[in-house]
């Protein structure tokens, strides 16, 4: 990228994921640029600090794999890209999942099967959809649903007026699950927020879409929910132990493979963000973040636009 070579004296591209084992490859660098599933735990950060690295620039919004307290105690600045395409990429993916699952067109993926048997779907118009978390992405997804004539309920511990003004109705999580035909987990991670208990509260046959963070959905409970038909359809762009898939761990791959082979489940490889426009925006903001870090080395009073603190 032009913006990178113009801003920095040297950029080293390393293919390996960041981990305690690979951290030493950053020896002599001022900063590292990491992605969503890189291991930025305590051990990696200590190894980076020992190499003289003073900044971890995440080229993504999520930072759940960064040990922020350890980074702070080591004096490592953590930066991220808070929003790069909230108006398109992630809501687009949620919408694609919903329409694909609602029309049950997945069978068409198998070559030559053009029979209509088993392909009866349902109209989204007039259905009630629940959004868990009404940040940027949740609101953009809600706008699509409202445009399709859905009623949109939402749960968020920090409701916002913009969402209310759009016509989103805030309710408690239990009411959202019990009333919605479709529940979308679009937002911040809360481990196993959707678990055996919360799944038991769902309207029978509801669709769940998770494009947020894998840890939000208890996969084992989701499998049980699908078996009992409490969950009618499941779309997952993110899943627990994603790092395990990247590392080729067989068990995680098997669980996902078994899930993906069900006709009412759609699994995609954490790609909601993946559009050319988003990649461009991510590269530009990351370069700006790193430039701020370099400038701060000369003037410690400077602050960072996109710093993540514990
Ligand atoms: P945001 O920061 O704008 O909004 C987060 C919202 O979640 C806030 O309104 C907050 O009040 C709410 N929230 C916090 N705790 C909650 C809880 N316990 N229950 C319900 N809501 C809660 O975030 P943004 O940009 O809209 O991103 C949302 C999520 O999507 C994040 O988890 C992010 O990591 C994920 N994401 C996934 C991508 C993908 O490729 N699949 C790409 C980009 C973001």
């Amino acid at each position: 990228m032009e913006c990178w070579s113009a801003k920095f004296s040297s950029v080293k591209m390393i293919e390996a994921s960041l981990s305690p084992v690979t951290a030493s490859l950053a020896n002599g660098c001022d900063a590292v640029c990491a992605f969503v599933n890189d291991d930025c735990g305590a051990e990696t950060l200590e190894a980076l600090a020992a190499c003289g690295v003073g900044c971890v620039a995440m080229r993504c919004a999520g930072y759940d794999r960064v040990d922020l307290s350890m980074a702070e105690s080591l004096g490592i600045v953590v930066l991220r890209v808070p929003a790069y395409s909230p108006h398109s990429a992630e809501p687009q993916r949620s919408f694609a999942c919903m329409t694909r699952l609602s029309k049950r067109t997945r069978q068409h993926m198998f070559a030559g099967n053009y029979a209509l048997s088993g392909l009866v779907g349902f109209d989204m118009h007039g259905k009630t959809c629940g959004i868990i978390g009404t940040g940027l992405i949740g609101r953009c997804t809600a706008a699509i649903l409202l445009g399709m004539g859905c009623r949109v309920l939402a749960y968020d511990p920090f409701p916002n007026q913009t969402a209310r003004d759009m016509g989103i109705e805030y309710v408690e999580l239990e009411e959202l699950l019990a009333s919605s035909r479709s529940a979308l987990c679009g937002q911040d991670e809360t481990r196993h927020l959707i678990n055996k208990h919360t799944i038991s509260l769902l309207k029978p046959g509801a669709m769940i879409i998770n494009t947020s963070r894998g840890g939000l959905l208890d996969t084992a409970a989701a499998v049980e929910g699908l078996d009992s038909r409490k969950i009618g359809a499941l779309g997952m762009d993110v899943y627990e132990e994603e790092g395990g898939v990247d590392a080729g761990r067989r068990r995680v791959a098997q669980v996902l493979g078994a899930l993906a082979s069900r006709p009412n489940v759609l699994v995609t490889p954490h790609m909601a963000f993946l559009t050319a426009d988003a990649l461009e925006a991510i590269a530009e903001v990351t370069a700006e973040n790193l430039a701020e870090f370099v400038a701060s080395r000369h003037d410690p009073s400077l602050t960072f636009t996109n710093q993540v603190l514990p």
Side-chain angles (χ1 to χ4, degrees):
M1 283 285 305
E2 242 172 66
C3 58
W4 284 64
S5 45
K7 278 189 166 91
F8 311 111
S9 57
S10 156
V11 178
K12 207 160 124 183
M13 301 292 285
I14 296 169
E15 213 166 297
S17 304
L18 183 59
S19 73
V21 178
T22 58
S24 60
L25 294 172
N27 207 3
C29 297
D30 295 307
V32 293
C33 177
F35 195 47
V36 66
N37 282 324
D38 283 332
D39 175 349
C40 297
E43 218 185 318
T44 306
L45 294 174
E46 278 173 333
L48 289 174
C51 294
V53 171
C55 171
V56 173
M58 300 301 293
R59 53 179 189 279
C60 54
Y63 50 87
D64 48 299
R65 299 204 72 197
V66 185
D67 187 332
L68 294 175
S69 308
M70 178 56 86
E72 190 179 49
S73 68
L74 293 167
I76 292 179
V77 176
V78 180
L79 306 172
R80 68 164 182 146
V81 185
Y84 36 85
S85 69
H87 299 284
S88 53
E90 293 84 9
Q92 231 169 269
R93 174 99 304 250
S94 297
F95 175 67
C97 262
M98 273 183 287
T99 46
R100 186 103 173 253
L101 289 165
S102 72
K103 291 298 289 174
R104 294 186 157 265
T105 50
R106 195 176 173 283
Q107 285 91 332
H108 281 273
M109 285 169 64
F110 301 108
N113 181 2
Y114 292 98
L116 295 184
S117 166
L119 294 187
V120 178
F122 59 87
D123 290 354
M124 292 294 293
H125 183 91
K127 297 292 183 297
T128 299
C129 299
I131 296 212
I132 301 173
T134 50
L136 280 173
I137 294 172
R139 292 200 301 275
C140 290
T141 309
I144 296 175
L145 295 170
L146 289 164
M148 289 176 77
C150 299
R151 179 185 177 208
V152 178
L153 304 181
Y155 165 72
D156 193 316
F158 308 99
N160 64 73
Q161 193 54 41
T162 316
R164 285 201 178 96
D165 292 344
M166 289 169 64
I168 297 172
E169 303 165 50
Y170 280 108
V171 293
E172 287 306 314
L173 181 62
E174 290 73 15
E175 187 183 340
L176 179 148
L177 294 168
S179 322
S180 304
R181 176 68 191 241
S182 170
L184 295 113
C185 323
Q187 304 295 326
D188 270 351
E189 173 165 27
T190 305
R191 186 161 169 75
H192 289 181
L193 181 73
I194 303 298
N195 54 39
K196 197 171 178 162
H197 170 65
T198 42
I199 288 173
S200 76
L201 304 175
L202 279 175
K203 190 169 182 165
M207 179 195 293
I208 295 186
I209 310 278
N210 185 13
T211 57
S212 173
R213 281 290 168 264
L216 193 132
L217 176 72
D218 179 344
T219 316
V223 170
E224 273 180 38
L226 285 161
D227 286 343
S228 68
R229 304 203 181 177
K230 191 74 175 170
I231 299 176
L234 174 66
M236 302 164 78
D237 185 53
V238 288
Y239 19 86
E240 295 182 274
E241 299 182 53
E242 263 177 49
V245 178
D246 290 348
R249 272 190 230 140
R250 206 175 290 165
R251 193 188 64 78
V252 183
Q254 275 171 350
V255 172
L256 289 176
L259 267 174
S261 66
R262 296 175 184 236
N264 55 347
V265 177
L266 193 60
V267 181
T268 49
H270 198 151
M271 52 168 277
F273 73 97
L274 198 58
T275 64
D277 306 271
L279 290 176
E280 183 93 2
I282 288 169
E284 272 170 25
V285 175
T286 305
E288 281 158 23
N289 285 345
L290 284 165
E292 283 185 3
F293 171 71
V294 172
S296 77
R297 292 228 139 166
H298 304 292
D299 180 357
S301 69
L302 290 176
T303 54
F304 305 102
T305 313
N306 295 313
Q307 185 170 14
V308 194
L309 294 165

